[in-house]
Amino acid sequence: MARALVGATLLVDGVGGLVVETEAYDHEDPASHSFGGRTARNASMFRAGGCAYVYRSYGIHWCLNVVCGPAGEGSAVLLRALEPTHGLDRMRARRGIDEARLLCSGPGRLCQALGVDASQDGLPLDAPPFALILPERPVPLATGPRIGISKGVATPWRFGLAGSRFLSRPFR
DNA sequence: GTATTGATCTTCT
DNA sequence: GAAGATCAATACA
């Protein structure tokens, strides 16, 4: 799913763009929030695939995941960066900056630009305010280790649109 | 260009 | 009390 979502278009209330960077987290993965079992925070990660899991990161930011797999499993894909295509003016107003490249280049920035917070946690991604359109054609992928984790460091489950200028960090 | 730090929520020890 | 799927501002090279 993390590979399939690169190149998709995500909109929240009409604001969004092309998904250029994702990371995979599954229930057997020590880096995953679901690894230690269900808690109040990660409850929506254990729902059936197709809904959102939104969590508070470092006490400051919100991060948005696409829940995958059957109910009870606890697998999800973190959306780390978008190439803005819709509603750039609203993103700039929310983010307080002008540079398109910095509007959604990171999971916390992405949520701020799209207005995502706990009120969207658990909502289905195929109904308003969300819209998720999968890519029509396969897209060139870059692969590498995930960012900002201390366990499962060697698992290469970060995926990006090869050559995109809107990544949170480049691939090598 | 890299390095450091403060913001302060949620979970686990 | 510590750590974490982060970001931005600041200080330096």
Side-chain angles (χ1 to χ4, degrees), chain A residues 47-111:
Chain A
R47 299 172 66 118
C51 66
Y53 165 46
V54 182
Y55 70 91
R56 183 74 97 162
S57 178
Y58 289 91
I60 314 283
H61 306 288
W62 297 103
C63 293
L64 173 63
N65 292 248
V66 176
V67 177
C68 304
E73 181 175 291
S75 299
V77 174
L78 172 68
L79 300 181
R80 289 193 53 89
L82 299 185
E83 175 179 340
T85 59
H86 291 63
L88 285 268
D89 49 342
R90 294 184 66 191
M91 292 190 195
R92 291 193 172 102
R94 286 172 178 148
R95 295 269 299 116
I97 58 163
D98 282 343
E99 300 88 73
R101 211 189 50 190
L102 298 178
L103 288 175
C104 300
S105 62
R109 291 166 171 173
L110 185 159
C111 284

